[in-house]
Amino acid sequence: MEDEIDLRDIFGVLWKRRLLILGTFIIAVLLAGVISFAMPPVYKVSSIIAVGLYDDPAYTSQASMKNVMLSDEFLLEVFEVISPNGTSGDFRTFKDDVKVEPVKDSDRLVEISIETKKRKEGLKAVETMIERYSALSQNSYNKQKKILEDQLANTEQRIEVVNLEINQTREALQDMEETSGSSTAVQAEMRFSRILDILNGKESQRSALMDRRMELDKQLLLIRNLEIVQPAREPISPIWPRKALIVGIAGILGLMVGVLAAFLREGLARPE
């Protein structure tokens, strides 16, 4: 059929216009290479930290850490450290570049990162953020730990008092057994029963205090302050521009444009 496309014609056009296709490809690759190498590199500085494990939601949850670290007050303190002479515009750019995100599939890990053209400044920014937040978290951690230690000390004192009372009650029972002949049987039995009830109550109280002491010991053993899991380091390679990717995409687009131009030129060159 006359309208049927012949593959030999297609390859013939491609071969005939090969210089056009190749030239378009080379120009696209060269332009992409020049542009990508002219673009200023962007680096990513990041660190991963684990929130604390103690009774203060303000510093022990991923959401609260994100809110604190991305607040204007907190970031302004960090910005003044890394850029003492920075403008309000510089601060807005800095704020937009900072990211604080929970690590996937973790309820404690948080990644703090910044994308910047200045590697050393980015590293200092992340380290300062962690340093400032760690100081806030440390104060809260110390307070919570002191509360637990005070509660433990108070519980141990109460245990000592109860132990003393139990010993005194047992001595009273022993004295009753030795002097039981000086009172009627009914009075002795009533008194013995009353003191025995007191003893049982004191022992129950001691058992509850012992459980409380074990619970406080466990809390003090498990309590954790903020921990740096992955410290920030000065990056070596930029995350942008990705020169190989840009040149590769440009090469593909150059080939496509070259092939299209070849067929258009061939079509225009044919007589009506």
Side-chain angles (χ1 to χ4, degrees):
M1 297 178 62
E2 294 182 0
D3 294 336
E4 186 175 329
I5 299 176
D6 193 336
L7 290 177
R8 286 176 297 181
D9 292 340
I10 294 176
F11 285 113
V13 172
L14 293 177
W15 178 254
K16 182 179 179 180
R17 305 295 180 181
R18 63 187 182 279
L19 295 180
L20 174 62
I21 297 172
L22 183 60
T24 306
F25 169 78
I26 293 174
I27 291 172
V29 169
L30 289 176
L31 284 175
V34 171
I35 293 173
S36 62
F37 277 92
M39 295 172 66
V42 176
Y43 299 90
K44 180 179 179 180
V45 182
S46 66
S47 178
I48 296 178
I49 61 178
V51 297
L53 286 175
Y54 55 92
D55 190 19
D56 187 354
Y59 296 103
T60 56
S61 75
Q62 295 167 314
S64 63
M65 175 182 287
K66 181 175 181 177
N67 291 335
V68 172
M69 284 194 163
L70 294 182
S71 64
D72 287 347
E73 181 181 1
F74 184 88
L75 288 178
L76 186 58
E77 291 180 0
V78 176
F79 181 73
E80 289 175 348
V81 172
I82 64 173
S83 299
N85 301 319
T87 64
S88 58
D90 294 334
F91 172 70
R92 286 192 296 270
T93 301
F94 167 74
K95 182 179 179 181
D96 292 339
D97 291 339
V98 173
K99 300 291 185 294
V100 179
E101 296 295 339
V103 175
K104 187 178 180 181
D105 299 328
S106 173
D107 58 355
R108 286 193 64 201
L109 300 182
V110 177
E111 182 183 24
I112 303 159
S113 64
I114 182 171
E115 295 181 3
T116 178
K117 298 173 184 176
K118 302 176 181 178
R119 291 181 289 181
K120 294 185 181 299
E121 185 177 291
L123 177 62
K124 187 176 181 181
V126 173
E127 290 178 338
T128 304
M129 288 178 68
I130 295 175
E131 179 184 342
R132 294 298 176 95
Y133 189 85
S134 296
L136 296 174
S137 178
Q138 184 69 50
N139 290 335
S140 177
Y141 168 80
N142 290 339
K143 290 178 182 178
Q144 294 299 321
K145 186 177 181 181
K146 183 67 165 53
I147 290 173
L148 291 175
E149 290 173 341
D150 290 345
Q151 290 178 350
L152 180 60
N154 180 261
T155 301
E156 290 177 340
Q157 289 178 357
R158 292 174 61 189
I159 289 174
E160 291 179 2
V161 171
V162 171
N163 282 333
L164 179 61
E165 292 175 345
I166 288 174
N167 292 333
Q168 291 174 346
T169 306
R170 286 175 176 170
E171 290 176 358
L173 285 175
Q174 186 176 359
D175 290 341
M176 283 188 60
E177 291 177 351
E178 294 175 354
T179 60
S180 58
S182 61
S183 59
T184 64
V186 175
Q187 290 176 335
E189 184 176 350
M190 290 178 61
R191 186 180 176 191
F192 186 86
S193 177
R194 186 167 59 251
I195 296 178
L196 189 59
D197 288 340
I198 293 173
L199 178 61
N200 290 334
K202 294 295 181 182
E203 288 180 340
S204 297
Q205 185 179 1
R206 181 177 65 178
S207 178
L209 289 171
M210 294 291 287
D211 290 341
R212 175 60 176 164
R213 183 174 67 177
M214 289 180 61
E215 177 63 25
L216 290 171
D217 282 333
K218 181 180 178 181
Q219 291 184 35
L220 282 169
L221 183 64
L222 296 177
I223 191 172
R224 290 286 186 276
N225 192 17
L226 177 148
E227 298 174 341
I228 300 176
V229 178
Q230 177 183 301
R233 293 185 175 87
E234 184 176 341
I236 299 174
S237 303
I239 60 169
W240 186 259
R242 298 171 65 180
K243 299 180 178 66
L245 178 62
I246 293 174
V247 171
I249 293 175
I252 294 173
L253 293 176
L255 282 175
M256 294 173 62
V257 172
V259 171
L260 179 61
F263 280 102
L264 286 175
R265 187 168 181 179
E266 184 67 19
L268 293 173
R270 289 181 179 179
E272 295 291 338

